[in-house]
Amino acid sequence: MAQCLVCSDREATLSENLCEECADSLAARTPLVPEQIISSNTAITGAALLDQWGRPHYVDDVVQLGRQFGREGIAILDSSVSREHAVLSRVNGAWVVRDNSSTNGTSLGDVLVEGEKPVSSGDQLTLGSVGFYFVTPTDKVTKPDHELAGETVKPQASQSAVKIPAAAPSNDEDSDEPTFSGLPKVPVLLVEPTGGGGGFIKALGKTVQLTTTQFEFVALVARRMADEPHQPDLVRGFVRSSELLADISWDTAHPSDNHVKQLVRRVRRALVRGGIGNLIESRHRFGYRFRIIPIFDE
């Protein structure tokens, strides 16, 4: 298995680039959905920024970072990010970041960027409250073959893009934000054999077998997402760890939050290996949810 590109100590479970621990250090800063980070560059280059889902956003010699949409660079649709927040560039073969007098600042690790600061592979770069890891070279970076988020997703059912409201306007300027794609509706089949011993999930043309605990987790988050059409997409369908600890048939007498994290890692790994992709989103203080709105084929 691939190792985390940042810490190199743990197994990479998110897009085969980041381990859960390194990803959590980014996710803890602000609640986001993947559609709030949009890259204009689709070509693979020698450097990239990894977001909290382990997705690489490849960068050219000069890349604009900010809430501004429709220009070269990476658009970050979050109210803590200024329209033209910062610039990442390569100067004489070395990478540097420059803050553009943004309202909420740019940090390299725990140090606030004033003027320009050199950036090295593995550094954590934070714009406002949105964090990334900078990596170079990118020969070991994996770009997911199937991404349910980060691009406009065309569900099998309708082949039309699903949109959710844009991010809240920034505090520094009043302006309209572009709409970004939301939770796609996808046909899902959950099958639990009468004899027990786990079950199957079928989605996006793939079928994955799960253990009993894994199946109960997937069924719970999938049905929670389907049962909350009244909730805004940004907060819809989340299940807290306390509910999972209470409602799942654990194989231990005293399950803990660590057991929940291990379960989520195994489910993500099973879904990715089975070709469905990472259907599970985690958000600090919210819990876990499905990244799609399931249309149950029952």
Side-chain angles (χ1 to χ4, degrees):
M1 295 298 296
Q3 295 300 108
C4 176
L5 297 182
V6 174
C7 69
S8 301
D9 295 329
R10 294 176 288 266
E11 180 183 337
T13 57
L14 295 183
S15 299
E16 299 184 12
N17 292 321
L18 291 180
C19 66
E20 291 281 344
E21 287 80 0
C22 288
D24 284 347
S25 72
L26 299 181
R29 294 181 177 273
T30 188
L32 290 176
V33 293
E35 292 81 8
Q36 286 176 257
I37 303 175
I38 305 172
S39 302
S40 62
N41 181 25
T42 58
I44 295 176
T45 64
L49 292 174
L50 301 181
D51 63 24
Q52 66 187 63
W53 301 278
R55 302 176 308 167
H57 302 272
Y58 292 98
V59 298
D60 292 316
D61 285 350
V62 178
V63 59
Q64 301 285 338
L65 307 171
R67 213 179 71 250
Q68 179 72 35
F69 187 73
R71 62 183 299 175
E72 294 298 321
I74 300 174
I76 306 160
L77 308 183
D78 181 75
S79 59
S80 70
V81 178
S82 298
R83 293 186 65 186
E84 298 183 4
H85 196 105
V87 175
L88 181 65
S89 59
R90 183 159 52 182
V91 179
N92 296 325
W95 288 92
V96 297
V97 63
R98 183 184 74 247
D99 183 78
N100 287 336
S101 300
S102 63
T103 298
N104 296 307
T106 301
S107 297
L108 194 60
D110 295 325
V111 179
L112 191 65
V113 174
E114 296 180 356
E116 288 188 346
K117 283 192 175 296
V119 183
S120 300
S121 188
D123 283 349
Q124 186 174 135
L125 183 65
T126 305
L127 291 83
S129 58
V130 181
F132 299 88
Y133 290 110
F134 176 76
V135 292
T136 186
T138 59
D139 55 308
K140 294 183 179 180
V141 171
T142 299
K143 187 172 184 179
D145 293 329
H146 177 74
E147 292 188 51
L148 286 171
E151 301 174 357
T152 298
V153 178
K154 295 185 177 180
Q156 295 176 345
S158 65
Q159 293 299 308
S160 59
V162 181
K163 294 184 177 181
I164 62 177
S170 172
N171 295 327
D172 60 329
E173 298 180 57
D174 291 326
S175 61
D176 293 332
E177 295 283 8
T179 303
F180 53 98
S181 60
L183 298 166
K185 295 181 180 179
V186 176
V188 171
L189 179 64
L190 297 174
V191 180
E192 186 175 17
T194 55
F200 298 85
I201 176 174
K202 183 176 181 179
L204 300 168
K206 303 291 185 179
T207 301
V208 175
Q209 183 175 3
L210 302 170
T211 67
T212 299
T213 308
Q214 292 170 353
F215 182 81
E216 289 182 4
F217 169 78
V218 168
L220 181 57
V221 295
R223 295 194 180 279
R224 178 65 56 84
M225 179 62 75
D227 291 344
E228 292 191 348
H230 57 286
Q231 293 283 8
D233 281 0
L234 286 173
V235 296
R236 177 175 176 173
F238 280 98
V239 180
R240 295 183 180 276
S241 293
S242 57
E243 295 181 69
L244 297 171
L245 291 171
D247 295 342
I248 289 179
S249 302
W250 297 95
D251 56 3
T252 179
H254 303 288
S256 65
D257 285 344
N258 188 50
H259 288 92
V260 173
K261 290 180 179 179
Q262 291 179 1
L263 173 61
V264 172
R265 292 188 189 111
R266 294 189 183 109
V267 170
R268 283 173 168 157
R269 203 153 42 223
L271 295 177
V272 170
R273 287 175 176 171
I276 292 179
N278 181 13
L279 291 183
I280 309 302
E281 175 186 350
S282 61
R283 193 184 301 175
H284 187 58
R285 296 194 181 95
F286 283 76
Y288 303 91
R289 71 168 179 177
F290 237 30
R291 291 182 188 236
I292 61 175
I293 298 174
I295 303 172
F296 288 116
D297 185 7
E298 298 176 307

